[in-house]
Amino acid sequence: MNKTEDKGRGRGGGSEKLIIFGPTRGRRGAELKVMSGVETKTPGFFTKGVREKTSDERGFDTDRLILQDDELSYSLGKQGTTRKKLEGAAGAILAYVATLPSSRATGSSAGGARSSSSGFWRSAEAVSAFIAGDRKQRRRCQEFLKWLLAQRRGSVTVTNVSEREDATEMHVPENCKGWVTGNRGSELRRMEAETGTYMFLALDERGDERLIIFCHDAGSKVSPHGRMAAERLVNEMIQEKLRDDGGRGGGKEAAHRPGEEAARTVAVAPRAAAAARPAAAATTPGAGRAAAAESPRARVAMANIHCNQCLVGVPAKRPLGQSQSLPEPPPPLAQPPPKQVGPSLSDLPGCGHP
């Protein structure tokens, strides 16, 4: 190579020029990914001497933030999920270019630092967060990142949300907050991934806690993405919790026990039948059947007597009602069998067993 070509060489020599084609946003995103990979193999190649930078350019540009080494894993997330969440909700490009203490780190995260083979993120010596986009996108991404890191120390206060065009406030009932957030925020993370938003519980000017949904995309009534989609998911969870709390002893809990009503009917039927036997035994067996047919309580008891063979209640086959009449009782026996105290199973209406 000549002197002109030497300008494309890296500091360590033996490098080549990489040309990236495409629109400005796509080229910058690819460049930051390449920078992250090169920094891992050659620590300090891009981050040595880098300082924070905030551009006032209205159009597309790049800002830089310097993070502490213990903030990298928290702002990156498992497999880069937190970084992708902030990037998508802000509409910007967010990439972490970090200098690791060893160049033998394996694995990678999209646009972020490398991880060790054990799955734990290595402690970085220097972390530069590059934020690319127009001015609104860059400012929004910086705010999201600042609020994210502040949550490690406790509750976050966010004011003037009503004046923002990228936020939706939701007041969640106190007894529903744990249900909506889930264990260690798992439900919020799930809804964020589904809708491409960033949401968390924050305090207002008066110290009241509410849920704020952030995203540059407002969404629509039918779109599965954006703030409106996230708001629908939260409302569904709140309604589910309220129905569960208000229907204890019924509602959802009763829906999980579909056989209890039938069990209660089965239990009541033998007791009603036993109450009808003394009235039937007061006279002759034939007269007893006639009296049982005339008494409403006895009619219900006779219709609910269970056959010892099938163990199936008659009401399941032939429900009784005011508009439904019972069949005519059989005529009295001329020679009643001795020691008969009530109707036999063969005389019961609706039973098919002898």
Side-chain angles (χ1 to χ4, degrees):
M1 291 184 178
N2 55 31
K3 293 183 178 180
T4 304
E5 293 173 334
D6 287 344
K7 294 181 180 179
R9 290 177 178 269
R11 297 177 183 177
S15 64
E16 299 180 68
K17 285 184 177 180
L18 176 66
I19 304 177
I20 304 175
F21 296 95
T24 303
R25 186 184 183 90
R27 295 200 311 270
R28 186 53 171 160
E31 181 183 7
L32 291 174
K33 290 180 182 293
V34 172
M35 291 171 58
S36 177
V38 171
E39 186 70 20
T40 302
K41 295 297 183 181
T42 309
F45 191 89
F46 291 108
T47 58
K48 186 176 181 180
V50 171
R51 299 180 180 179
E52 289 192 353
K53 168 199 168 186
T54 302
S55 174
D56 292 329
E57 178 67 32
R58 288 181 175 271
F60 191 88
D61 205 348
T62 304
D63 293 345
R64 289 192 302 267
L65 296 177
I66 305 299
L67 303 180
Q68 302 297 324
D69 57 355
D70 60 342
E71 297 174 337
L72 174 61
S73 59
Y74 193 81
S75 58
L76 192 57
K78 185 179 180 181
Q79 298 180 352
T81 54
T82 303
R83 181 195 66 82
K84 296 174 183 177
K85 172 181 66 178
L86 299 180
E87 180 182 68
I93 298 174
L94 175 61
Y96 303 127
V97 180
T99 298
L100 301 178
S102 174
S103 61
R104 294 183 179 181
T106 58
S108 65
S109 66
R114 302 276 172 151
S115 66
S116 65
S117 58
S118 62
F120 296 96
W121 296 105
R122 290 175 176 266
S123 177
E125 294 179 352
V127 184
S128 299
F130 289 79
I131 304 172
D134 60 35
R135 187 163 67 179
K136 282 187 177 181
Q137 294 169 346
R138 298 194 307 270
R139 297 292 186 272
R140 186 185 298 127
C141 191
Q142 288 188 34
E143 286 181 321
F144 291 175
L145 185 57
K146 179 186 67 174
W147 290 331
L148 176 74
L149 297 176
Q151 291 177 44
R152 300 188 308 160
R153 299 183 293 271
S155 300
V156 180
T157 301
V158 181
T159 60
N160 301 325
V161 175
S162 59
E163 301 176 3
R164 301 179 64 104
E165 59 182 14
D166 61 350
T168 300
E169 283 184 295
M170 294 190 66
H171 292 275
V172 181
E174 194 67 30
N175 62 327
C176 299
K177 288 182 179 179
W179 181 262
V180 171
T181 57
N183 183 27
R184 300 174 64 89
S186 58
E187 289 298 327
L188 287 182
R189 305 293 86 80
R190 176 186 63 83
M191 292 185 285
E192 287 174 339
E194 290 182 10
T195 59
T197 57
Y198 172 45
M199 59 179 71
F200 59 92
L201 291 170
L203 304 178
D204 59 10
E205 300 87 344
R206 298 172 297 178
D208 296 330
E209 193 175 46
R210 80 282 198 213
L211 179 68
I212 310 179
I213 304 172
F214 291 99
C215 186
H216 69 96
D217 180 15
S220 65
K221 294 182 178 179
V222 296
S223 174
H225 304 289
R227 299 195 307 273
M228 292 185 67
E231 187 176 5
R232 287 195 299 270
L233 292 179
V234 174
N235 279 325
E236 289 175 3
M237 295 200 67
I238 293 175
Q239 294 302 321
E240 182 182 3
K241 177 62 175 174
L242 293 178
R243 286 195 302 269
D244 188 21
D245 290 347
R248 291 185 176 177
K252 285 183 61 179
E253 295 187 1
H256 294 290
R257 303 188 296 270
E260 289 192 358
E261 288 295 331
R264 284 194 290 270
T265 302
V266 171
V268 169
R271 292 197 296 269
R277 288 194 186 100
T283 59
T284 62
R289 285 194 296 273
E294 294 176 358
S295 172
R297 181 175 180 182
R299 288 172 59 192
V300 174
M302 290 178 64
N304 281 303
I305 294 178
H306 291 254
C307 177
N308 292 330
Q309 297 184 30
C310 63
L311 297 179
V312 177
V314 174
K317 297 181 179 179
R318 190 192 316 174
L320 295 177
Q322 295 181 357
S323 61
Q324 183 177 357
S325 60
L326 288 173
E328 291 293 331
L333 297 177
Q335 297 293 335
K339 298 182 180 180
Q340 183 169 342
V341 297
S344 63
L345 293 177
S346 60
D347 296 331
L348 291 178
C351 183
H353 291 283

